[in-house]
Structure formats: structure tokens, C-alpha cells
Amino acid sequence: QVQLVESGGGLVQPGGSLRLSCAASGSIFSINAMGWYRQAPGKQRELVAAITSGGSTNYADSVKGRFTISRDNAKNTVYLQMNSLKPEDTAVYYCNANIQRIRYGPKRDYWGQGTQVTVSS
């Protein structure tokens, strides 16, 4: 079994910062890309940022220059540093990881349970 456990969400004022963490645990051979998605009420889930196992990153245009994704491969953990937060960043943030559980086995996506981020004064 594989689990992704997120932490770090909460309530913050506009202009503030938060750091999200997501740790993968369980039977894991390798982790490929990891990423963060978000879903606001009444909207579709969207990609916020992603990072490959080699460290290449990509970001949604709406967060470029404000958010930074990073990972610690030794800890199977991905982070999202969010600065200059805006009310429109309010959403449930989900961690995603593409994981291979055994050598030569299939790769599949796993999701965390989600963590609420609310940006409000």
C-alpha cells in the first residue's frame, strides 16, 4: 500500500506565506514526477506545479514567481512554498505522485487526501 500525507495548509492573510509538505510512504520502488494540484469550490482541479525526479519544474502561469516546488528524494517528500498569497489561491491542495511499487512494475498516480488553504483578511 502507498500513502501520500499532506500537511501545512491553513488560514493566511493576503500577501502571506505557507509551506505545504507531502510525504509518500509504503511499498515504493521509485517515484517519478510529483506535483501539486488545487481545486476551488465550483471549479475543476488544476495543476499548480510539478517536479520530475531529476528536478525539472513547471508551474501554472497564475503562480509563477510566487510558488516554488521542491522535493527531497531521500525522504520521498515534495514541498510547495507559497509566497505572496492571494484570495484566488484559496482551494483544497492535493499532492500527486507517479509511483512504481516494484522493479519492472507498472507506474501509477497516487493522490493525497487534500489540505485546505484559505487566503483571507
Side-chain angles (χ1 to χ4, degrees), residues 54-111:
S56 296
T57 60
N58 69 286
Y59 297 90
D61 287 343
S62 60
V63 306
K64 283 180 181 176
R66 300 187 299 121
F67 291 10
T68 302
I69 189 170
S70 61
R71 64 190 282 174
D72 184 332
N73 291 330
K75 295 182 179 179
N76 289 339
T77 299
V78 63
Y79 306 96
L80 185 68
Q81 178 65 45
M82 304 185 293
N83 298 329
S84 302
L85 282 160
K86 304 175 181 179
E88 50 264 44
D89 294 318
T90 296
V92 178
Y93 284 69
Y94 296 92
C95 172
N96 170 271
N98 186 261
I99 294 174
Q100 186 176 20
R101 294 187 61 189
I102 59 173
R103 190 180 181 93
Y104 306 124
K107 301 173 185 177
R108 58 157 288 193
D109 282 340
Y110 292 83
W111 293 88

Side-chain angles (χ1 to χ4, degrees), residues 12-81:
V12 64
Q13 292 186 340
S17 298
L18 281 175
R19 188 192 196 212
L20 305 182
S21 299
C22 171
S25 63
S27 177
I28 297 172
F29 174 75
S30 68
I31 302 179
N32 304 298
M34 303 183 82
W36 290 94
Y37 289 71
R38 67 187 181 187
Q39 187 166 19
K43 294 188 177 181
Q44 288 190 329
R45 190 174 296 190
E46 63 174 358
L47 174 67
V48 176
I51 184 168
T52 67
S53 57
S56 296
T57 60
N58 69 286
Y59 297 90
D61 287 343
S62 60
V63 306
K64 283 180 181 176
R66 300 187 299 121
F67 291 10
T68 302
I69 189 170
S70 61
R71 64 190 282 174
D72 184 332
N73 291 330
K75 295 182 179 179
N76 289 339
T77 299
V78 63
Y79 306 96
L80 185 68
Q81 178 65 45

